[in-house]
Amino acid sequence: MIVLFSPKVAYKIAYYMEKVLGAILPILLVISGYLVYRAPVDIVQGISYLWIYLHVPAAVISLFSAMFVCAFVSLGWVYKISVANILSVVCAEVGLVSSLIALFSGAIWGSQTWGAWWVWDMRLTSELLLAILYAAFLTTEQAVKMRMISKRIQFYISLLIAFNVPLIHFSVEWWYSLHQTSTLLSSKQTMPYSMYVPLMYAMFVAVLFCIWYVSRQLRLIYAVRFQDEALSTTS
């Protein structure tokens, strides 16, 4: 398993993942857009419910990114794996952007549904905290590179990021909330399939897009590193 994190193996995997996903993603995005376009209008919320096809995939990715950040930081810190360190930073970038998209799309959706852009709801507040923790993690990366602070600080931040995930997920169950409860779990699934299928497909495409982005970033970083190493050996 550790061999997958060797620079050359990781570079090859990232290269082929980027090429394959880069070729099929435009087609999948068009299909996703068509499915969303064909989805029926909600009888209560009207057309504003279509924000769900952006908001929910972004929110889910922000949570899953947290687990990957924590896992990669642990591997990088304990086993001194450079690829894992790079992946932790790239996944944190994905987590930060996705959490911000979830917050902004949720605010627009909430303004049309609740009549308020923001409330200090536990679900919203914990998601905002997740975005702040992602930003803190990325801010400390440069300090770690310059050996101004220990990698342990990033590890502690990653733990806070991971511990925030169950807080976000169960916040609508543990506290009173304007935010609706989870509807993606099979036991609580109440959406008609004409709405549910496009949502699951949008999440699938969003996950593939994130994998493509992570692969691209890893390939670019190592391409520069290999080039620098080649120049240093020839000079």
Side-chain angles (χ1 to χ4, degrees), residues 23-36:
I24 66 174
L25 270 175
I27 301 172
L28 297 179
L29 285 170
V30 171
I31 296 174
S32 180
Y34 176 76
L35 291 175
V36 171

Side-chain angles (χ1 to χ4, degrees), residues 31-47:
I31 296 174
S32 180
Y34 176 76
L35 291 175
V36 171
Y37 172 76
R38 295 287 296 174
V41 176
D42 186 77
I43 193 172
V44 177
Q45 300 182 49
I47 199 171

Side-chain angles (χ1 to χ4, degrees), residues 46 85 117 134 154-155 159 165 184 186 188 195 197 214 219 231:
N85 289 326
W117 287 87
Y134 278 131
Q154 275 193 322
F155 174 71
L159 289 180
V165 171
L184 293 181
S186 58
K188 298 182 180 180
M195 297 178 177
V197 171
V214 171
R219 184 189 64 80
L231 289 174

Side-chain angles (χ1 to χ4, degrees), residues 10 22 44 46 51 67 72-73 90 97 99 154-155 198 200 204 220:
V44 177
W51 283 105
M67 310 310 296
F72 288 138
V73 168
V90 178
V97 173
S99 59
Q154 275 193 322
F155 174 71
M200 298 305 294
F204 172 69
L220 291 176

Side-chain angles (χ1 to χ4, degrees), residues 34-147:
Y34 176 76
L35 291 175
V36 171
Y37 172 76
R38 295 287 296 174
V41 176
D42 186 77
I43 193 172
V44 177
Q45 300 182 49
I47 199 171
S48 65
Y49 98 96
L50 292 177
W51 283 105
I52 196 173
Y53 298 110
L54 175 64
H55 176 73
V56 172
V60 170
I61 288 172
S62 71
L63 299 184
F64 276 101
S65 296
M67 310 310 296
F68 283 110
V69 169
C70 187
F72 288 138
V73 168
S74 301
L75 285 173
W77 184 38
V78 175
Y79 296 105
K80 310 300 180 184
I81 302 175
S82 60
V83 173
N85 289 326
I86 295 172
L87 288 173
S88 68
V89 175
V90 178
C91 287
E93 293 174 356
V94 172
L96 176 59
V97 173
S98 59
S99 59
L100 290 176
I101 292 174
L103 287 168
F104 282 109
S105 60
I108 298 172
W109 189 8
S111 69
Q112 299 171 349
T113 305
W114 305 334
W117 287 87
W118 180 267
V119 291
W120 288 104
D121 183 279
M122 195 60 193
R123 169 62 67 87
L124 277 67
T125 305
S126 54
E127 183 72 23
L128 176 61
L129 176 60
L130 181 63
I132 293 172
L133 289 171
Y134 278 131
F137 181 91
L138 293 171
T139 302
T140 58
E141 174 62 18
Q142 190 62 33
V144 170
K145 288 182 178 179
M146 298 174 64
R147 300 185 183 275

Side-chain angles (χ1 to χ4, degrees), residues 6-19 218-219 222 226:
S6 65
K8 291 185 178 180
V9 173
Y11 178 85
K12 288 182 179 179
I13 294 174
Y15 175 82
Y16 288 113
M17 291 294 289
E18 179 192 357
K19 295 301 180 184
L218 182 61
R219 184 189 64 80
Y222 265 92
F226 289 153

